[in-house]
């Protein structure tokens, strides 16, 4: 798809969409590249929203992923501030919110996700630059914040707010935050960090609605709050694809090449694809995956047809903890601590799913400590080759 190709449309002015556009150009595509985004600005980085932007360490002008000169060099037909509203795969046309159309020869869907909401009164969420700036103005000494949801986003926002002197209450329905992803023992360690920094962490708490004075709990009681941040997960932005014939199931369903249909590929948070390395379908909401899958989708659209089989990577900064993880930790069967100490919040944990090593997570460890494990995950190392090198679980059970 080079030379006089009718062009490629990328729906999503995101990290994934930008990576796809750059890869198309590097790979020799000289036709039109149309990039469509519902926000009125060029692609920008989202991980700093809950940390550097929320804390005020960064100004918003540090967020753009590329300079205007770099974007100009790509020769994009940039249509910002317009959302995709429909797809006609027969006519190969994307319909836009302003009534215009974008015809394509190849299409990359990179529309990302949006925050889940709770019933009731409006509450803050944290997905866009505007979201972060609106919340930032509500934080500081003498201010109060309730965060609903102690996943990675809620935990990062709680940590940032607490560091600014905000009185933070963190509400989580699970008995142990993040246990489903990192294991109970690791989850308890991360939870203790909030308590040690003065956050009022309450687990086993279900919030049913937001009210003007705070949040209502399942038992009918009220947790008063000056400001409420809802961080209870996200929904893939796929509504515009209804009736298109694409398979939609918690994302755009793609094969191992990130293909959703002939000439249509998915990338980033919105894409659910079959990762052959782990032999499972997954949808990954991490910045690194967005860029890598955007590149892979672009190459495969141009005919490379290489399976997209990454070892996923994510990181999180909370208080003085630098958390890094490689692999697919969800649904794991066992966790073992390979190095360090859980109580000291300086350790490396490895994860087993079935008969294979499938993940590694480090807290407070140097980056090089995870590299051998990353390589072992990428080569599908059997667990029986790993287990003899590991100490027994400190709790006598699979964490």
């Amino acid at each position: 798809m080079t030379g006089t190709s009718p062009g490629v449309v990328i729906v999503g002015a995101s990290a994934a969409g930008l990576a796809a556009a750059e890869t198309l150009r590097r790979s020799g595509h000289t036709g039109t590249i149309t990039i469509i985004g519902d926000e009125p600005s060029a692609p920008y980085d989202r991980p700093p929203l809950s940390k550097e932007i929320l804390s005020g360490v960064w100004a918003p002008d540090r967020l753009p992923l590329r300079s205007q000169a770099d974007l100009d060099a790509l020769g994009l037909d940039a249509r910002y501030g317009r959302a995709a509203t429909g797809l006609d795969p027969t006519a190969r046309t994307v319909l836009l919110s302003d009534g215009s159309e974008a015809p394509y020869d190849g299409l990359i869907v990179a529309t990302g996700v949006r925050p889940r909401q709770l019933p009731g009164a409006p509450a803050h969420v944290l997905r866009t630059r505007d979201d972060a700036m609106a919340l930032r103005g509500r934080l500081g000494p003498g201010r109060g914040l309730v965060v609903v949801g102690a996943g990675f986003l809620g935990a990062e926002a709680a940590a940032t707010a607490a560091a600014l002197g905000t009185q933070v209450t963190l509400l989580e329905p699970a008995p142990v935050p993040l246990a489903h992803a990192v294991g109970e023992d690791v989850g308890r360690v991360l939870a203790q960090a909030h308590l040690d920094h003065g956050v009022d962490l309450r687990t086993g708490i279900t919030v049913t609605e937001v009210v003007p004075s705070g949040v209502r709990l399942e038992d009918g009681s009220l947790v008063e709050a000056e400001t409420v941040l809802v961080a209870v997960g996200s929904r893939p932005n796929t509504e515009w694809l209804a009736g298109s014939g694409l398979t939609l199931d918690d994302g755009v369903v793609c094969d191992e090449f990130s293909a959703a249909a002939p000439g249509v590929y998915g990338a980033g948070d919105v894409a659910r694809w079959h990762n052959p390395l782990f032999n499972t379908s997954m949808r990954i909401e991490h910045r690194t995956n967005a860029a890598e899958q955007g590149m892979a989708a672009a190459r495969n659209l141009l005919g490379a047809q290489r399976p997209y089989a990454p070892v996923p990577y994510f990181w999180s900064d909370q208080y003085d903890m630098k958390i890094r993880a490689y692999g697919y930790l969800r649904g794991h069967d066992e966790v073992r601590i390979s190095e360090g100490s859980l109580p000291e919040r300086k350790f490396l944990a490895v994860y087993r799913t079935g008969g294979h090593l499938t993940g590694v997570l480090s807290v407070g460890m140097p980056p090089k400590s995870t590299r051998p494990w990353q390589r072992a995950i990428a080569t599908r190392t059997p667990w029986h080759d790993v287990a003899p090198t590991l100490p027994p679980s400190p709790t006598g059970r699979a964490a």
Side-chain angles (χ1 to χ4, degrees), residues 13 35-43 68 71 76 78-83:
I35 187 165
I36 297 163
D38 60 355
E39 292 186 71
S41 60
Q68 189 57 50
L71 294 173
L76 303 176
R79 306 189 190 182
Y80 303 137
R82 282 174 272 186

Side-chain angles (χ1 to χ4, degrees), residues 254-295:
C254 304
D255 63 14
E256 66 268 32
F257 304 104
S258 292
V264 180
Y265 290 76
D269 297 3
V270 75
R272 173 170 293 281
W273 91 103
H274 182 81
N275 186 334
L277 179 62
F278 298 90
N279 192 31
T280 191
S281 173
M282 58 178 65
R283 187 174 65 80
I284 302 292
E285 295 184 22
H286 301 318
R287 170 68 175 79
T288 305
N289 181 73
E292 291 179 350
Q293 194 166 25
M295 292 187 285

Side-chain angles (χ1 to χ4, degrees), residues 1-10 20-35 73-77 103-106 301-302:
M1 192 181 296
T2 59
T4 59
S5 164
V8 176
V9 169
I10 300 169
E22 291 177 327
T23 302
L24 289 169
R25 290 299 187 221
R26 284 196 302 268
S27 301
H29 176 73
T30 58
T32 301
I33 301 176
T34 301
I35 187 165
L74 293 173
L76 303 176
D77 174 11
Y104 66 86
D105 185 60
L301 179 62
L302 295 177

Side-chain angles (χ1 to χ4, degrees), residues 18 22 29 97 130 147 153 181 189 196 204 233 237 294-295 298 312 340 359 370:
L18 178 61
E22 291 177 327
H29 176 73
S97 57
D130 289 346
V147 180
L153 178 63
V189 168
D196 291 347
N237 290 320
M295 292 187 285
T370 59

